[in-house]
Structures are given as C-alpha cells and as structure tokens.
Amino acid sequence: MARQVRAEQTRATIITAAAELFDRQGYESTSLSDIVEHAQVTKGALYFHFAAKEDLAHAILEIQSATSRRLARDTELRGHTSLEALMRLTFCIARMSAEDPVLRAGLRLTTGGTRPRPPLSHPFTEWLDIVTARLLGAVKESDVHPDVDIDVVAHSLVCFFVGTRVVGRSREPVARQPRRTAEMWQILIRGLVPVTRRARYLSLAARLEREIAPV
C-alpha cells in the first residue's frame, strides 16, 4: 500500500510540474527533460507513469474535465437558481484557475490545439453543454428573456469566458480573473436578464467576486 501511495504521489508531482511548464512556456517548448528536472524525479519514474509528452497533456485534460464536471454538479445540487448556479460555476473556475497550474495548463493546451483522446470530450464541448443546460433552466425560471437564442448565448458566453482568461494571461496577474469574471457578468446580465430581476444578479456578481477573490 505504501508503495502505491508513493507512486500516486510521484505521478501527481510529475503532472503538476508538467502543468507549470506547459502554462509558463507552452506545450511545444517543453521537453520531457525539462519536466524531469522541474519535478525532481528520474527519467525512469516519469516513463513509468507516462510514455510520452502527449500522455501528460491528456492527463491534464482529464483532470480539467473532471474538475469542471464536479463543480457543475456541486453548484447544481446546492439549490440555487439555474442562473446563479452558472454564475457560481464560472467564478469557481476563475478562482481555481488562479490557484491551480493544472487548470491553467488545461486551458492553454485546449486553446493551443491539443485535442483530448476519445472518449474524453473536448473541454469546449463540455462547457457548451453545461452552459446550455443552465441557460435553458434560467429561461424556465424567468431569469433570462424567453426570446433569446440559447445556442448563440451559450457559445458567446463560453467564448467570452475563455477569451477573458486567454487575454488576461499575457496582460495581467492571474489573480485578476475574479474581477474580469464579474465584469463579464455585469455585461451579460444587462442583456439577458429581465429588468425586474436584474438588480439581484448584478448584486450577486459583485458578492461572488468578493467571496472568491484570492486573498
């Protein structure tokens, strides 16, 4: 059992080291030797867990997918409205991305053209499915205008959220992401939410930013 625990710890160390390098300098510019040095493990230890750099990228995308799905379930099960659950999900991802190099690397891999292996779905496909389901619920709950095109809004929201993070990565500290997420929602709420419910969600966006902003 102790040997298995050590192996799992070594695997996690290698994934974190690879993620930090992928996020910092890009997938193509990172070699396995770089990862070995950064993780402070032997080449044998790395090859025991990962036969190639592509395997490391896939492991990072798997973690990203599992985290997104877990957060989506958690926010859904807490009894929030569909729109609040969606807002909380985006703020949670923004906060975790600021703290977790694996999630940041997952985004960089995805936007850099790395494609997950089946049966794992592309992250953008997963996010579109989650956002679409929440928006449909928000329409039923009268928190979003009934005449909106859900597919268009879901696509725009994902592009807005991803684009904000990609642009911010090269222009400002990652800790700025909660503020950018709040700004995104301030714009979206004014276009999507009926006037009678708008104040509630604008206030929620401000509160969520305060709650999850890095200390």
Side-chain angles (χ1 to χ4, degrees):
M1 181 61 70
R3 180 178 298 178
Q4 181 179 349
V5 171
R6 286 197 300 272
E8 291 173 353
Q9 291 173 339
T10 300
R11 185 177 189 276
T13 297
I14 293 169
I15 290 174
T16 300
E20 289 172 348
L21 292 178
F22 291 163
D23 175 54
R24 186 186 311 160
Q25 61 195 36
Y27 176 79
E28 296 297 337
S29 299
T30 300
S31 68
L32 287 177
S33 295
D34 293 334
I35 296 169
V36 165
E37 180 178 357
H38 190 57
Q40 296 185 331
V41 298
T42 65
K43 284 189 176 181
L46 185 146
Y47 283 116
F48 176 80
H49 294 282
F50 303 100
K53 190 168 68 170
E54 291 84 351
D55 297 330
L56 271 162
H58 183 69
I60 289 170
L61 292 177
E62 283 184 321
I63 294 171
Q64 181 189 57
S65 174
T67 301
S68 296
R69 287 185 278 108
R70 176 178 59 78
L71 291 173
R73 287 194 304 270
D74 289 348
T75 53
E76 184 179 20
L77 293 173
R78 293 183 182 274
H80 303 302
T81 66
S82 296
L83 184 56
E84 179 170 347
L86 178 57
M87 291 174 66
R88 286 182 176 276
L89 173 61
T90 58
F91 277 98
C92 285
I93 291 175
R95 172 63 185 268
M96 292 185 70
S97 295
E99 298 174 341
D100 190 342
V102 176
L103 296 186
R104 293 198 301 275
L107 178 66
R108 181 154 188 177
L109 289 168
T110 300
T111 55
T114 302
R115 303 190 66 83
R117 300 170 186 162
L120 191 65
S121 299
H122 193 283
F124 294 164
T125 300
E126 286 190 343
W127 297 348
L128 281 168
D129 290 343
I130 292 169
V131 171
T132 297
R134 298 296 180 275
L135 288 173
L136 286 170
V139 170
K140 292 179 180 178
E141 294 161 4
S142 300
D143 281 333
V144 167
H145 290 296
D147 57 348
V148 300
D149 188 320
I150 294 297
D151 290 338
V152 170
V153 173
H155 183 269
S156 299
L157 194 155
V158 171
C159 290
F160 201 159
F161 186 54
V162 172
T164 296
R165 292 165 65 198
V166 171
V167 172
R169 182 174 60 206
S170 61
R171 292 180 55 85
E172 57 193 14
V174 69
R176 181 74 172 170
Q177 283 302 303
R179 171 91 286 259
R180 294 305 186 194
T181 304
E183 292 169 348
M184 176 191 80
W185 277 112
Q186 288 165 7
I187 293 170
L188 291 172
I189 287 166
R190 287 180 170 88
L192 295 175
V193 179
V195 175
T196 55
R197 304 192 180 209
R198 200 170 292 168
R200 170 188 177 183
Y201 287 105
L202 288 172
S203 176
L204 175 64
R207 189 170 77 248
L208 288 174
E209 180 194 353
R210 292 192 300 270
E211 288 178 1
I212 62 96
V215 177

PDB file of all heavy atoms in Angstrom, residues 41-76:
ATOM      1  N   VAL A  41      12.460  14.337 -10.423  1.00  0.00           N
ATOM      2  CA  VAL A  41      12.318  12.884 -10.437  1.00  0.00           C
ATOM      3  C   VAL A  41      13.274  12.325 -11.478  1.00  0.00           C
ATOM      4  O   VAL A  41      13.872  13.067 -12.259  1.00  0.00           O
ATOM      5  CB  VAL A  41      10.861  12.460 -10.776  1.00  0.00           C
ATOM      6  CG1 VAL A  41       9.887  12.975  -9.727  1.00  0.00           C
ATOM      7  CG2 VAL A  41      10.457  12.948 -12.173  1.00  0.00           C
ATOM      8  N   THR A  42      13.409  11.031 -11.500  1.00  0.00           N
ATOM      9  CA  THR A  42      14.262  10.404 -12.501  1.00  0.00           C
ATOM     10  C   THR A  42      13.475  10.198 -13.795  1.00  0.00           C
ATOM     11  O   THR A  42      12.236  10.205 -13.796  1.00  0.00           O
ATOM     12  CB  THR A  42      14.765   9.047 -12.011  1.00  0.00           C
ATOM     13  OG1 THR A  42      13.640   8.154 -11.871  1.00  0.00           O
ATOM     14  CG2 THR A  42      15.486   9.177 -10.678  1.00  0.00           C
ATOM     15  N   LYS A  43      14.192  10.013 -14.884  1.00  0.00           N
ATOM     16  CA  LYS A  43      13.516   9.706 -16.152  1.00  0.00           C
ATOM     17  C   LYS A  43      12.755   8.397 -16.044  1.00  0.00           C
ATOM     18  O   LYS A  43      11.682   8.245 -16.622  1.00  0.00           O
ATOM     19  CB  LYS A  43      14.537   9.635 -17.288  1.00  0.00           C
ATOM     20  CG  LYS A  43      15.034  10.980 -17.758  1.00  0.00           C
ATOM     21  CD  LYS A  43      15.863  10.844 -19.025  1.00  0.00           C
ATOM     22  CE  LYS A  43      16.268  12.219 -19.547  1.00  0.00           C
ATOM     23  NZ  LYS A  43      17.062  12.122 -20.804  1.00  0.00           N
ATOM     24  N   GLY A  44      13.328   7.458 -15.308  1.00  0.00           N
ATOM     25  CA  GLY A  44      12.644   6.182 -15.129  1.00  0.00           C
ATOM     26  C   GLY A  44      11.305   6.351 -14.441  1.00  0.00           C
ATOM     27  O   GLY A  44      10.316   5.704 -14.814  1.00  0.00           O
ATOM     28  N   ALA A  45      11.253   7.233 -13.444  1.00  0.00           N
ATOM     29  CA  ALA A  45       9.997   7.482 -12.738  1.00  0.00           C
ATOM     30  C   ALA A  45       8.971   8.101 -13.675  1.00  0.00           C
ATOM     31  O   ALA A  45       7.793   7.738 -13.657  1.00  0.00           O
ATOM     32  CB  ALA A  45      10.239   8.397 -11.541  1.00  0.00           C
ATOM     33  N   LEU A  46       9.423   9.044 -14.511  1.00  0.00           N
ATOM     34  CA  LEU A  46       8.483   9.665 -15.451  1.00  0.00           C
ATOM     35  C   LEU A  46       7.945   8.640 -16.438  1.00  0.00           C
ATOM     36  O   LEU A  46       6.737   8.558 -16.674  1.00  0.00           O
ATOM     37  CB  LEU A  46       9.172  10.813 -16.195  1.00  0.00           C
ATOM     38  CG  LEU A  46       8.261  11.630 -17.123  1.00  0.00           C
ATOM     39  CD1 LEU A  46       8.681  13.096 -17.141  1.00  0.00           C
ATOM     40  CD2 LEU A  46       8.286  11.092 -18.554  1.00  0.00           C
ATOM     41  N   TYR A  47       8.865   7.846 -17.027  1.00  0.00           N
ATOM     42  CA  TYR A  47       8.433   6.878 -18.042  1.00  0.00           C
ATOM     43  C   TYR A  47       7.618   5.731 -17.451  1.00  0.00           C
ATOM     44  O   TYR A  47       6.880   5.061 -18.173  1.00  0.00           O
ATOM     45  CB  TYR A  47       9.645   6.328 -18.798  1.00  0.00           C
ATOM     46  CG  TYR A  47      10.184   7.300 -19.826  1.00  0.00           C
ATOM     47  CD1 TYR A  47      11.463   7.828 -19.703  1.00  0.00           C
ATOM     48  CD2 TYR A  47       9.399   7.695 -20.917  1.00  0.00           C
ATOM     49  CE1 TYR A  47      11.965   8.720 -20.638  1.00  0.00           C
ATOM     50  CE2 TYR A  47       9.889   8.583 -21.851  1.00  0.00           C
ATOM     51  CZ  TYR A  47      11.173   9.103 -21.711  1.00  0.00           C
ATOM     52  OH  TYR A  47      11.651   9.987 -22.630  1.00  0.00           O
ATOM     53  N   PHE A  48       7.736   5.517 -16.152  1.00  0.00           N
ATOM     54  CA  PHE A  48       6.899   4.511 -15.504  1.00  0.00           C
ATOM     55  C   PHE A  48       5.427   4.918 -15.578  1.00  0.00           C
ATOM     56  O   PHE A  48       4.542   4.065 -15.721  1.00  0.00           O
ATOM     57  CB  PHE A  48       7.322   4.339 -14.038  1.00  0.00           C
ATOM     58  CG  PHE A  48       6.448   3.389 -13.270  1.00  0.00           C
ATOM     59  CD1 PHE A  48       6.624   2.012 -13.374  1.00  0.00           C
ATOM     60  CD2 PHE A  48       5.431   3.862 -12.442  1.00  0.00           C
ATOM     61  CE1 PHE A  48       5.810   1.128 -12.665  1.00  0.00           C
ATOM     62  CE2 PHE A  48       4.616   2.989 -11.734  1.00  0.00           C
ATOM     63  CZ  PHE A  48       4.801   1.617 -11.839  1.00  0.00           C
ATOM     64  N   HIS A  49       5.179   6.225 -15.503  1.00  0.00           N
ATOM     65  CA  HIS A  49       3.806   6.725 -15.496  1.00  0.00           C
ATOM     66  C   HIS A  49       3.346   7.232 -16.868  1.00  0.00           C
ATOM     67  O   HIS A  49       2.166   7.118 -17.196  1.00  0.00           O
ATOM     68  CB  HIS A  49       3.662   7.861 -14.479  1.00  0.00           C
ATOM     69  CG  HIS A  49       3.853   7.424 -13.053  1.00  0.00           C
ATOM     70  ND1 HIS A  49       2.866   6.774 -12.342  1.00  0.00           N
ATOM     71  CD2 HIS A  49       4.915   7.542 -12.226  1.00  0.00           C
ATOM     72  CE1 HIS A  49       3.307   6.515 -11.118  1.00  0.00           C
ATOM     73  NE2 HIS A  49       4.544   6.961 -11.015  1.00  0.00           N
ATOM     74  N   PHE A  50       4.270   7.788 -17.641  1.00  0.00           N
ATOM     75  CA  PHE A  50       3.890   8.428 -18.909  1.00  0.00           C
ATOM     76  C   PHE A  50       4.889   8.053 -19.996  1.00  0.00           C
ATOM     77  O   PHE A  50       6.079   8.340 -19.877  1.00  0.00           O
ATOM     78  CB  PHE A  50       3.838   9.951 -18.750  1.00  0.00           C
ATOM     79  CG  PHE A  50       2.902  10.409 -17.658  1.00  0.00           C
ATOM     80  CD1 PHE A  50       3.402  10.770 -16.409  1.00  0.00           C
ATOM     81  CD2 PHE A  50       1.533  10.460 -17.862  1.00  0.00           C
ATOM     82  CE1 PHE A  50       2.549  11.183 -15.398  1.00  0.00           C
ATOM     83  CE2 PHE A  50       0.670  10.857 -16.856  1.00  0.00           C
ATOM     84  CZ  PHE A  50       1.177  11.226 -15.625  1.00  0.00           C
ATOM     85  N   ALA A  51       4.380   7.454 -21.051  1.00  0.00           N
ATOM     86  CA  ALA A  51       5.258   7.007 -22.127  1.00  0.00           C
ATOM     87  C   ALA A  51       5.696   8.148 -23.029  1.00  0.00           C
ATOM     88  O   ALA A  51       6.722   8.064 -23.697  1.00  0.00           O
ATOM     89  CB  ALA A  51       4.553   5.933 -22.966  1.00  0.00           C
ATOM     90  N   ALA A  52       4.910   9.231 -23.064  1.00  0.00           N
ATOM     91  CA  ALA A  52       5.217  10.343 -23.963  1.00  0.00           C
ATOM     92  C   ALA A  52       4.623  11.630 -23.395  1.00  0.00           C
ATOM     93  O   ALA A  52       3.783  11.605 -22.493  1.00  0.00           O
ATOM     94  CB  ALA A  52       4.644  10.069 -25.361  1.00  0.00           C
ATOM     95  N   LYS A  53       5.058  12.738 -23.952  1.00  0.00           N
ATOM     96  CA  LYS A  53       4.557  14.038 -23.504  1.00  0.00           C
ATOM     97  C   LYS A  53       3.052  14.156 -23.755  1.00  0.00           C
ATOM     98  O   LYS A  53       2.327  14.798 -22.989  1.00  0.00           O
ATOM     99  CB  LYS A  53       5.320  15.157 -24.226  1.00  0.00           C
ATOM    100  CG  LYS A  53       5.044  16.534 -23.670  1.00  0.00           C
ATOM    101  CD  LYS A  53       6.035  17.571 -24.199  1.00  0.00           C
ATOM    102  CE  LYS A  53       5.850  17.832 -25.676  1.00  0.00           C
ATOM    103  NZ  LYS A  53       6.635  19.002 -26.134  1.00  0.00           N
ATOM    104  N   GLU A  54       2.580  13.533 -24.837  1.00  0.00           N
ATOM    105  CA  GLU A  54       1.151  13.560 -25.139  1.00  0.00           C
ATOM    106  C   GLU A  54       0.324  12.934 -24.020  1.00  0.00           C
ATOM    107  O   GLU A  54      -0.805  13.363 -23.760  1.00  0.00           O
ATOM    108  CB  GLU A  54       0.873  12.814 -26.454  1.00  0.00           C
ATOM    109  CG  GLU A  54       1.415  13.519 -27.694  1.00  0.00           C
ATOM    110  CD  GLU A  54       2.886  13.197 -27.954  1.00  0.00           C
ATOM    111  OE1 GLU A  54       3.535  12.568 -27.077  1.00  0.00           O
ATOM    112  OE2 GLU A  54       3.383  13.587 -29.012  1.00  0.00           O
ATOM    113  N   ASP A  55       0.876  11.919 -23.360  1.00  0.00           N
ATOM    114  CA  ASP A  55       0.167  11.281 -22.244  1.00  0.00           C
ATOM    115  C   ASP A  55      -0.004  12.246 -21.073  1.00  0.00           C
ATOM    116  O   ASP A  55      -1.033  12.240 -20.397  1.00  0.00           O
ATOM    117  CB  ASP A  55       0.924  10.037 -21.779  1.00  0.00           C
ATOM    118  CG  ASP A  55       1.013   8.972 -22.855  1.00  0.00           C
ATOM    119  OD1 ASP A  55       0.090   8.897 -23.684  1.00  0.00           O
ATOM    120  OD2 ASP A  55       2.008   8.234 -22.879  1.00  0.00           O
ATOM    121  N   LEU A  56       0.995  13.074 -20.846  1.00  0.00           N
ATOM    122  CA  LEU A  56       0.900  14.074 -19.796  1.00  0.00           C
ATOM    123  C   LEU A  56      -0.168  15.115 -20.132  1.00  0.00           C
ATOM    124  O   LEU A  56      -0.958  15.514 -19.272  1.00  0.00           O
ATOM    125  CB  LEU A  56       2.252  14.760 -19.596  1.00  0.00           C
ATOM    126  CG  LEU A  56       3.189  14.095 -18.592  1.00  0.00           C
ATOM    127  CD1 LEU A  56       4.619  14.571 -18.802  1.00  0.00           C
ATOM    128  CD2 LEU A  56       2.740  14.373 -17.179  1.00  0.00           C
ATOM    129  N   ALA A  57      -0.193  15.533 -21.386  1.00  0.00           N
ATOM    130  CA  ALA A  57      -1.207  16.507 -21.805  1.00  0.00           C
ATOM    131  C   ALA A  57      -2.604  15.930 -21.618  1.00  0.00           C
ATOM    132  O   ALA A  57      -3.522  16.622 -21.137  1.00  0.00           O
ATOM    133  CB  ALA A  57      -0.983  16.903 -23.262  1.00  0.00           C
ATOM    134  N   HIS A  58      -2.769  14.672 -21.978  1.00  0.00           N
ATOM    135  CA  HIS A  58      -4.082  14.040 -21.837  1.00  0.00           C
ATOM    136  C   HIS A  58      -4.474  13.923 -20.366  1.00  0.00           C
ATOM    137  O   HIS A  58      -5.634  14.145 -20.008  1.00  0.00           O
ATOM    138  CB  HIS A  58      -4.070  12.653 -22.484  1.00  0.00           C
ATOM    139  CG  HIS A  58      -5.403  11.967 -22.458  1.00  0.00           C
ATOM    140  ND1 HIS A  58      -6.468  12.393 -23.210  1.00  0.00           N
ATOM    141  CD2 HIS A  58      -5.847  10.907 -21.743  1.00  0.00           C
ATOM    142  CE1 HIS A  58      -7.511  11.612 -22.973  1.00  0.00           C
ATOM    143  NE2 HIS A  58      -7.155  10.706 -22.081  1.00  0.00           N
ATOM    144  N   ALA A  59      -3.514  13.599 -19.500  1.00  0.00           N
ATOM    145  CA  ALA A  59      -3.806  13.500 -18.072  1.00  0.00           C
ATOM    146  C   ALA A  59      -4.271  14.846 -17.525  1.00  0.00           C
ATOM    147  O   ALA A  59      -5.194  14.911 -16.696  1.00  0.00           O
ATOM    148  CB  ALA A  59      -2.566  13.020 -17.317  1.00  0.00           C
ATOM    149  N   ILE A  60      -3.663  15.926 -17.980  1.00  0.00           N
ATOM    150  CA  ILE A  60      -4.066  17.265 -17.547  1.00  0.00           C
ATOM    151  C   ILE A  60      -5.473  17.586 -18.029  1.00  0.00           C
ATOM    152  O   ILE A  60      -6.295  18.125 -17.276  1.00  0.00           O
ATOM    153  CB  ILE A  60      -3.049  18.311 -18.057  1.00  0.00           C
ATOM    154  CG1 ILE A  60      -1.736  18.161 -17.288  1.00  0.00           C
ATOM    155  CG2 ILE A  60      -3.600  19.728 -17.924  1.00  0.00           C
ATOM    156  CD1 ILE A  60      -0.587  18.965 -17.870  1.00  0.00           C
ATOM    157  N   LEU A  61      -5.781  17.226 -19.261  1.00  0.00           N
ATOM    158  CA  LEU A  61      -7.127  17.473 -19.794  1.00  0.00           C
ATOM    159  C   LEU A  61      -8.171  16.629 -19.061  1.00  0.00           C
ATOM    160  O   LEU A  61      -9.311  17.078 -18.855  1.00  0.00           O
ATOM    161  CB  LEU A  61      -7.166  17.188 -21.291  1.00  0.00           C
ATOM    162  CG  LEU A  61      -6.360  18.154 -22.166  1.00  0.00           C
ATOM    163  CD1 LEU A  61      -6.409  17.710 -23.630  1.00  0.00           C
ATOM    164  CD2 LEU A  61      -6.882  19.583 -22.030  1.00  0.00           C
ATOM    165  N   GLU A  62      -7.792  15.425 -18.653  1.00  0.00           N
ATOM    166  CA  GLU A  62      -8.710  14.597 -17.865  1.00  0.00           C
ATOM    167  C   GLU A  62      -9.021  15.258 -16.519  1.00  0.00           C
ATOM    168  O   GLU A  62     -10.181  15.273 -16.079  1.00  0.00           O
ATOM    169  CB  GLU A  62      -8.095  13.212 -17.633  1.00  0.00           C
ATOM    170  CG  GLU A  62      -8.156  12.296 -18.832  1.00  0.00           C
ATOM    171  CD  GLU A  62      -7.620  10.909 -18.522  1.00  0.00           C
ATOM    172  OE1 GLU A  62      -6.606  10.831 -17.771  1.00  0.00           O
ATOM    173  OE2 GLU A  62      -8.184   9.921 -19.000  1.00  0.00           O
ATOM    174  N   ILE A  63      -8.011  15.800 -15.873  1.00  0.00           N
ATOM    175  CA  ILE A  63      -8.227  16.475 -14.594  1.00  0.00           C
ATOM    176  C   ILE A  63      -9.090  17.716 -14.784  1.00  0.00           C
ATOM    177  O   ILE A  63     -10.007  17.983 -13.996  1.00  0.00           O
ATOM    178  CB  ILE A  63      -6.877  16.843 -13.948  1.00  0.00           C
ATOM    179  CG1 ILE A  63      -6.122  15.581 -13.557  1.00  0.00           C
ATOM    180  CG2 ILE A  63      -7.084  17.753 -12.736  1.00  0.00           C
ATOM    181  CD1 ILE A  63      -4.697  15.827 -13.103  1.00  0.00           C
ATOM    182  N   GLN A  64      -8.816  18.460 -15.823  1.00  0.00           N
ATOM    183  CA  GLN A  64      -9.625  19.641 -16.117  1.00  0.00           C
ATOM    184  C   GLN A  64     -11.087  19.269 -16.314  1.00  0.00           C
ATOM    185  O   GLN A  64     -11.992  19.918 -15.770  1.00  0.00           O
ATOM    186  CB  GLN A  64      -9.093  20.344 -17.371  1.00  0.00           C
ATOM    187  CG  GLN A  64      -9.867  21.608 -17.746  1.00  0.00           C
ATOM    188  CD  GLN A  64      -9.448  22.134 -19.101  1.00  0.00           C
ATOM    189  OE1 GLN A  64      -9.521  21.416 -20.104  1.00  0.00           O
ATOM    190  NE2 GLN A  64      -9.008  23.375 -19.147  1.00  0.00           N
ATOM    191  N   SER A  65     -11.338  18.218 -17.080  1.00  0.00           N
ATOM    192  CA  SER A  65     -12.705  17.777 -17.344  1.00  0.00           C
ATOM    193  C   SER A  65     -13.393  17.322 -16.068  1.00  0.00           C
ATOM    194  O   SER A  65     -14.538  17.705 -15.792  1.00  0.00           O
ATOM    195  CB  SER A  65     -12.689  16.632 -18.366  1.00  0.00           C
ATOM    196  OG  SER A  65     -13.986  16.099 -18.545  1.00  0.00           O
ATOM    197  N   ALA A  66     -12.705  16.512 -15.280  1.00  0.00           N
ATOM    198  CA  ALA A  66     -13.299  16.013 -14.036  1.00  0.00           C
ATOM    199  C   ALA A  66     -13.607  17.153 -13.076  1.00  0.00           C
ATOM    200  O   ALA A  66     -14.649  17.151 -12.397  1.00  0.00           O
ATOM    201  CB  ALA A  66     -12.346  15.010 -13.383  1.00  0.00           C
ATOM    202  N   THR A  67     -12.734  18.147 -13.021  1.00  0.00           N
ATOM    203  CA  THR A  67     -12.951  19.289 -12.135  1.00  0.00           C
ATOM    204  C   THR A  67     -14.155  20.102 -12.584  1.00  0.00           C
ATOM    205  O   THR A  67     -14.996  20.499 -11.763  1.00  0.00           O
ATOM    206  CB  THR A  67     -11.699  20.186 -12.098  1.00  0.00           C
ATOM    207  OG1 THR A  67     -10.579  19.418 -11.642  1.00  0.00           O
ATOM    208  CG2 THR A  67     -11.917  21.372 -11.172  1.00  0.00           C
ATOM    209  N   SER A  68     -14.265  20.357 -13.878  1.00  0.00           N
ATOM    210  CA  SER A  68     -15.401  21.127 -14.404  1.00  0.00           C
ATOM    211  C   SER A  68     -16.718  20.419 -14.124  1.00  0.00           C
ATOM    212  O   SER A  68     -17.699  21.041 -13.692  1.00  0.00           O
ATOM    213  CB  SER A  68     -15.236  21.352 -15.911  1.00  0.00           C
ATOM    214  OG  SER A  68     -14.101  22.139 -16.188  1.00  0.00           O
ATOM    215  N   ARG A  69     -16.743  19.104 -14.346  1.00  0.00           N
ATOM    216  CA  ARG A  69     -17.983  18.352 -14.115  1.00  0.00           C
ATOM    217  C   ARG A  69     -18.333  18.302 -12.632  1.00  0.00           C
ATOM    218  O   ARG A  69     -19.502  18.393 -12.254  1.00  0.00           O
ATOM    219  CB  ARG A  69     -17.852  16.941 -14.703  1.00  0.00           C
ATOM    220  CG  ARG A  69     -17.917  16.932 -16.233  1.00  0.00           C
ATOM    221  CD  ARG A  69     -17.914  15.527 -16.817  1.00  0.00           C
ATOM    222  NE  ARG A  69     -16.567  14.990 -16.917  1.00  0.00           N
ATOM    223  CZ  ARG A  69     -16.072  14.036 -16.159  1.00  0.00           C
ATOM    224  NH1 ARG A  69     -16.814  13.507 -15.190  1.00  0.00           N
ATOM    225  NH2 ARG A  69     -14.845  13.600 -16.341  1.00  0.00           N
ATOM    226  N   ARG A  70     -17.320  18.179 -11.772  1.00  0.00           N
ATOM    227  CA  ARG A  70     -17.579  18.163 -10.324  1.00  0.00           C
ATOM    228  C   ARG A  70     -18.119  19.508  -9.857  1.00  0.00           C
ATOM    229  O   ARG A  70     -19.093  19.561  -9.083  1.00  0.00           O
ATOM    230  CB  ARG A  70     -16.288  17.829  -9.574  1.00  0.00           C
ATOM    231  CG  ARG A  70     -16.454  17.884  -8.058  1.00  0.00           C
ATOM    232  CD  ARG A  70     -15.180  17.499  -7.354  1.00  0.00           C
ATOM    233  NE  ARG A  70     -14.049  18.347  -7.691  1.00  0.00           N
ATOM    234  CZ  ARG A  70     -13.852  19.559  -7.183  1.00  0.00           C
ATOM    235  NH1 ARG A  70     -14.722  20.080  -6.321  1.00  0.00           N
ATOM    236  NH2 ARG A  70     -12.794  20.270  -7.533  1.00  0.00           N
ATOM    237  N   LEU A  71     -17.530  20.582 -10.318  1.00  0.00           N
ATOM    238  CA  LEU A  71     -18.006  21.913  -9.939  1.00  0.00           C
ATOM    239  C   LEU A  71     -19.423  22.155 -10.445  1.00  0.00           C
ATOM    240  O   LEU A  71     -20.250  22.754  -9.752  1.00  0.00           O
ATOM    241  CB  LEU A  71     -17.061  22.986 -10.474  1.00  0.00           C
ATOM    242  CG  LEU A  71     -15.674  23.058  -9.827  1.00  0.00           C
ATOM    243  CD1 LEU A  71     -14.798  24.055 -10.567  1.00  0.00           C
ATOM    244  CD2 LEU A  71     -15.781  23.438  -8.354  1.00  0.00           C
ATOM    245  N   ALA A  72     -19.700  21.679 -11.656  1.00  0.00           N
ATOM    246  CA  ALA A  72     -21.052  21.846 -12.202  1.00  0.00           C
ATOM    247  C   ALA A  72     -22.075  21.093 -11.364  1.00  0.00           C
ATOM    248  O   ALA A  72     -23.167  21.604 -11.085  1.00  0.00           O
ATOM    249  CB  ALA A  72     -21.087  21.359 -13.656  1.00  0.00           C
ATOM    250  N   ARG A  73     -21.733  19.873 -10.937  1.00  0.00           N
ATOM    251  CA  ARG A  73     -22.640  19.099 -10.081  1.00  0.00           C
ATOM    252  C   ARG A  73     -22.821  19.785  -8.729  1.00  0.00           C
ATOM    253  O   ARG A  73     -23.935  19.876  -8.207  1.00  0.00           O
ATOM    254  CB  ARG A  73     -22.109  17.683  -9.878  1.00  0.00           C
ATOM    255  CG  ARG A  73     -22.227  16.786 -11.091  1.00  0.00           C
ATOM    256  CD  ARG A  73     -22.006  15.327 -10.703  1.00  0.00           C
ATOM    257  NE  ARG A  73     -20.720  15.123 -10.046  1.00  0.00           N
ATOM    258  CZ  ARG A  73     -19.600  14.828 -10.686  1.00  0.00           C
ATOM    259  NH1 ARG A  73     -19.600  14.708 -11.998  1.00  0.00           N
ATOM    260  NH2 ARG A  73     -18.469  14.645 -10.014  1.00  0.00           N
ATOM    261  N   ASP A  74     -21.715  20.258  -8.160  1.00  0.00           N
ATOM    262  CA  ASP A  74     -21.781  20.872  -6.836  1.00  0.00           C
ATOM    263  C   ASP A  74     -22.673  22.107  -6.839  1.00  0.00           C
ATOM    264  O   ASP A  74     -23.500  22.296  -5.935  1.00  0.00           O
ATOM    265  CB  ASP A  74     -20.379  21.254  -6.346  1.00  0.00           C
ATOM    266  CG  ASP A  74     -19.537  20.042  -5.981  1.00  0.00           C
ATOM    267  OD1 ASP A  74     -20.099  18.929  -5.879  1.00  0.00           O
ATOM    268  OD2 ASP A  74     -18.316  20.206  -5.799  1.00  0.00           O
ATOM    269  N   THR A  75     -22.508  22.956  -7.839  1.00  0.00           N
ATOM    270  CA  THR A  75     -23.317  24.181  -7.884  1.00  0.00           C
ATOM    271  C   THR A  75     -24.778  23.863  -8.177  1.00  0.00           C
ATOM    272  O   THR A  75     -25.676  24.559  -7.699  1.00  0.00           O
ATOM    273  CB  THR A  75     -22.774  25.157  -8.941  1.00  0.00           C
ATOM    274  OG1 THR A  75     -22.660  24.488 -10.213  1.00  0.00           O
ATOM    275  CG2 THR A  75     -21.409  25.698  -8.543  1.00  0.00           C
ATOM    276  N   GLU A  76     -25.023  22.795  -8.903  1.00  0.00           N
ATOM    277  CA  GLU A  76     -26.398  22.427  -9.228  1.00  0.00           C
ATOM    278  C   GLU A  76     -27.128  21.866  -8.012  1.00  0.00           C
ATOM    279  O   GLU A  76     -28.334  22.093  -7.823  1.00  0.00           O
ATOM    280  CB  GLU A  76     -26.423  21.403 -10.365  1.00  0.00           C
ATOM    281  CG  GLU A  76     -27.819  21.036 -10.834  1.00  0.00           C
ATOM    282  CD  GLU A  76     -27.795  20.039 -11.967  1.00  0.00           C
ATOM    283  OE1 GLU A  76     -26.770  19.343 -12.140  1.00  0.00           O
ATOM    284  OE2 GLU A  76     -28.803  19.938 -12.691  1.00  0.00           O
TER     285      GLU A  76
END
